[in-house]
Amino acid sequence: MVSTFHGLETAKRGMNTQQSALYVTGQNISNANTLGYTRQRVNFEATPAYPAAAMNRPQIPGQMGTGVQAGSIQRVRESFIDQQYRGENNKFGYWSTKAESLAKLEDIMNEPSDSGLSAAMGQFWQALQDLSANPENDGARSVVIQRGKAVAETFHYLNDSLKGVQKDLGNEISVSVKNMNSVLQQIANVNKQISEIEPHGYVPNDLYDERDRLVDELSTYVDIKIDVEKSGGHPSTIAEGIFNIKLVNKDGSEGPSLIDGSTPHYLEITGGEASDATSGILDKVPSNDSLKTLEVNGQKINIEDFSQGKIRGLIEGYGYEDSTGELKGTYPKMLDDLDKLAFTFGTLFNAVHKQGYTLNQKADGTYDIGGEFFSGLGTDYKGAASNINVPDSLKNKDIAASGPEGEAGNGLNALNLGNVQNVNLNDLLAGKDITLEGGIVLNIGAITGFNKDNYFESGTIGTNYQSIIGTLGVDAQQANRLTNNSGNLLQSVDERRQSVSAVSIDEEFINMIKYQQAYNASARNITIVDEMLDKIINGMGLGGR
């Protein structure tokens, strides 16, 4: 038969278990605002029934329950939602970084506005139109020179500003790589602690929370895949094991390992100024020795194949060389276009300027033809935006505004100079002569050191600049749209995750009352059993006294 004290043990176990649940509830409430904390619950388990099946078992109607015990304390979390969150976090990290770099680029170009390059060039063209009407007017000539200097200075400003932001992006790449490698080290350290605790049967929930928080942060920088490895020894059935993390390439294939157990493999940038992952690197504009590859655990990865995430977004803004050696990236492309625009503008303007005559009369009565209005261009468009200038030696009378020689009041060439903006590059590059006002012919032969690679393939100076700004606007709009989309999806997934894993104060209050009532009931049960035992001990067996 069942022991007389059976009820006491059952009630005691109930009190202990409900007390454990109350303690866990208190832990949840205390960490309701702790970043990365996952609510916990006690898994109640019925203790083995009495009696056990055996040959010498007591003859009672059946097995009787012996109470309850706290089997384990488990985090309430869904790995599938975590995986979704990290995927969306990775996309958001990439597109938000890209949108930010494009926004800075739009701020620098400042188009359309009254202070951008388009406005400066518009004022320059207008000054030439005014000069064509008054070619001998010294004030009109002075305005043309000043407007030309304003255009050159605008090119300088845009070029310097773009390179300044590009350098900032390079520094941000360095910081991001350092931060990512720091996160890898921290995850490896947490893995090591987990591997030392789990074999003893414990479930280190706080370490799991810390690891998940770090993995979430890692997913901002690169796309990752997690493989779980079970700990040795005698781990609990709900132990989560060790995280081995691999990089996921842009095409979705597996890349090199970032973490093997407690061993991290750091990300390093190779090529150009990026010699390792810890130095202050990337302080130069990409050139032929620009960013080329990334390296993890001795395995090189071409940047165009590198994982999506914040680091890729920064590199695409800063600039890199693809596998063919071609320089790519948002800022290198804009700098290249700006150089080509400055070179095309300055070279064509100089070519037309040389078709006219100045006010400088020589001893024989003839007049000097126009020289170079813009200097510093050379025969290669690279660096034109930073080098283009109106030389200080250029005087008002040096402007070749006159068309026919000796007709100082004829502003034909000033009119042609104002129409440089409309020269069709497609015709010029195809070898066709461009007939200007007054029958003046502009051809390739009039351009010193002509090379097709130095010019836009088609269109005019104005339409090419419009195309540059239009492309920038479309790219920025797409980046903003995808940033908003990925941000909304990230928020939606996070809300679902929080609904599962976050602490609800109201729910914890309900649990607290529930466990308290169960604890009180178990205590009351002990009181009842105590009264029964009192009757047995003190109220029975008195008949023979």
Side-chain angles (χ1 to χ4, degrees):
M1 60 184 299
V2 180
S3 168
T4 304
F5 298 96
H6 176 86
L8 283 176
E9 181 61 26
T10 300
K12 186 197 77 172
R13 290 176 179 174
M15 290 181 64
N16 291 339
T17 304
Q18 303 304 325
Q19 188 178 38
S20 298
L22 278 170
Y23 291 159
V24 171
T25 300
Q27 166 77 351
N28 288 339
I29 294 173
S30 299
N31 288 278
N33 297 314
T34 301
L35 180 65
Y37 180 79
T38 303
R39 70 185 179 96
Q40 301 174 8
R41 69 183 177 201
V42 175
N43 293 323
F44 291 173
E45 296 177 356
T47 52
Y50 177 83
M55 289 294 293
N56 60 346
R57 66 185 182 279
Q59 296 301 313
I60 59 176
Q63 289 185 318
M64 297 188 66
T66 59
V68 66
Q69 65 181 0
S72 60
I73 299 174
Q74 183 179 19
R75 299 190 308 158
V76 182
R77 199 170 182 111
E78 290 188 18
S79 59
F80 176 71
I81 298 180
D82 285 338
Q83 184 179 355
Q84 283 186 314
Y85 177 86
R86 288 159 189 160
E88 297 302 331
N89 193 35
N90 178 258
K91 295 175 186 176
F92 181 74
Y94 172 76
W95 285 112
S96 61
T97 302
K98 199 170 184 67
E100 184 178 353
S101 65
L102 287 168
K104 291 178 181 177
L105 189 53
E106 284 188 308
D107 290 341
I108 293 172
M109 300 309 294
N110 196 23
E111 296 288 0
S113 72
D114 296 331
S115 57
L117 179 61
S118 179
M121 294 183 75
Q123 292 171 351
F124 182 59
W125 302 131
Q126 184 59 51
L128 289 165
Q129 293 292 329
D130 295 341
L131 179 62
S132 68
N134 300 284
E136 294 179 285
N137 185 285
D138 197 56
R141 287 172 173 267
S142 179
V143 169
V144 168
I145 291 178
Q146 294 306 315
R147 295 299 189 193
K149 289 182 176 179
V151 171
E153 289 170 358
T154 303
F155 274 115
H156 298 168
Y157 167 78
L158 294 177
N159 182 77
D160 293 343
S161 297
L162 289 173
K163 288 181 178 178
V165 175
Q166 186 183 38
K167 182 178 179 180
D168 292 340
L169 288 175
N171 292 332
E172 193 171 351
I173 292 173
S174 301
V175 172
S176 295
V177 170
K178 291 177 185 177
N179 289 342
M180 174 182 163
N181 289 337
S182 174
V183 170
L184 291 175
Q185 180 64 65
Q186 292 177 68
I187 294 174
N189 291 341
V190 174
N191 262 348
K192 186 174 185 299
Q193 295 177 63
I194 291 173
S195 67
E196 293 171 348
I197 294 174
E198 283 188 340
H200 301 285
Y202 295 112
V203 181
N205 290 316
D206 293 338
L207 291 178
Y208 294 155
D209 284 346
E210 176 65 9
R211 184 173 63 183
D212 282 332
R213 185 189 65 80
L214 292 169
V215 172
D216 288 347
E217 183 178 351
L218 179 63
S219 68
T220 304
Y221 298 108
V222 291
D223 194 8
I224 56 175
K225 178 185 177 183
I226 299 174
D227 294 323
V228 178
E229 178 185 348
K230 292 297 183 182
S231 299
H234 302 282
S236 168
T237 56
I238 62 172
E240 297 187 12
I242 309 305
F243 279 7
N244 293 323
I245 301 177
K246 291 185 177 180
L247 193 69
V248 176
N249 296 323
K250 184 180 178 181
D251 61 1
S253 62
E254 285 189 11
S257 176
L258 294 173
I259 293 179
D260 288 323
S262 59
T263 304
H265 303 297
Y266 298 127
L267 173 67
E268 296 182 359
I269 304 176
T270 59
E273 296 301 301
S275 58
D276 57 56
T278 58
S279 62
I281 56 176
L282 308 177
D283 58 351
K284 291 185 180 180
V285 178
S287 59
N288 290 332
D289 62 344
S290 61
L291 304 186
K292 296 180 180 180
T293 59
L294 298 171
E295 183 175 321
V296 177
N297 195 22
Q299 182 175 340
K300 293 186 181 297
I301 309 169
N302 290 330
I303 291 180
E304 62 262 37
D305 300 326
F306 185 62
S307 173
Q308 184 169 272
K310 179 178 180 179
I311 291 179
R312 181 181 178 86
L314 290 170
I315 291 175
E316 286 184 356
Y318 176 79
Y320 66 95
E321 283 187 21
D322 64 11
S323 55
T324 64
E326 182 181 354
L327 183 60
K328 292 186 175 182
T330 303
Y331 279 77
K333 179 67 167 60
M334 182 57 74
L335 285 165
D336 189 74
D337 286 342
L338 199 63
D339 281 340
K340 190 168 286 188
L341 183 71
F343 186 87
T344 303
F345 162 72
T347 303
L348 291 181
F349 192 90
N350 285 344
V352 175
H353 192 250
K354 293 176 182 178
Q355 307 301 315
Y357 294 89
T358 71
L359 295 179
N360 295 317
Q361 189 175 16
K362 295 183 287 190
D364 60 0
T366 61
Y367 288 84
D368 289 336
I369 62 172
E372 287 193 348
F373 188 92
F374 291 104
S375 63
L377 296 175
T379 58
D380 189 346
Y381 79 94
K382 297 289 187 182
S386 60
N387 295 325
I388 187 171
N389 276 303
V390 176
D392 293 335
S393 59
L394 186 72
K395 306 303 180 184
N396 292 347
K397 62 182 180 179
D398 297 329
I399 299 176
S402 174
E405 183 179 5
E407 297 183 16
N410 186 329
L412 179 62
N413 204 52
L415 183 63
N416 285 333
L417 288 170
N419 289 330
V420 166
Q421 59 181 319
N422 300 319
V423 171
N424 191 321
L425 295 174
N426 191 41
D427 291 341
L428 189 64
L429 297 180
K432 296 180 181 180
D433 291 340
I434 305 297
T435 302
L436 306 175
E437 295 292 335
I440 298 175
V441 176
L442 178 66
N443 54 41
I444 292 176
I447 303 174
T448 305
F450 180 81
N451 184 345
K452 289 184 178 182
D453 294 337
N454 288 327
Y455 300 87
F456 293 104
E457 295 179 356
S458 61
T460 66
I461 292 173
T463 58
N464 276 291
Y465 186 61
Q466 291 171 8
S467 175
I468 292 170
I469 298 302
T471 300
L472 171 60
V474 170
D475 290 345
Q477 186 180 45
Q478 181 191 27
N480 287 330
R481 176 172 54 83
L482 292 175
T483 298
N484 290 333
N485 290 347
S486 57
N488 290 335
L489 289 172
L490 178 64
Q491 181 179 358
S492 176
V493 173
D494 188 47
E495 288 174 353
R496 291 205 304 272
R497 182 163 76 161
Q498 293 299 321
S499 69
V500 174
S501 301
V503 175
S504 168
I505 296 297
D506 291 340
E507 183 178 355
E508 297 304 325
F509 278 168
I510 293 172
N511 288 338
M512 186 168 56
I513 295 171
K514 180 173 65 175
Y515 299 142
Q516 180 191 17
Q517 294 298 322
Y519 181 89
N520 292 342
S522 294
R524 182 60 180 167
N525 189 22
I526 289 179
T527 301
I528 297 300
V529 173
D530 179 64
E531 291 178 359
M532 293 169 55
L533 292 175
D534 178 68
K535 175 59 80 174
I536 293 172
I537 296 171
N538 298 317
M540 295 177 65
L542 300 179
R545 293 184 183 179

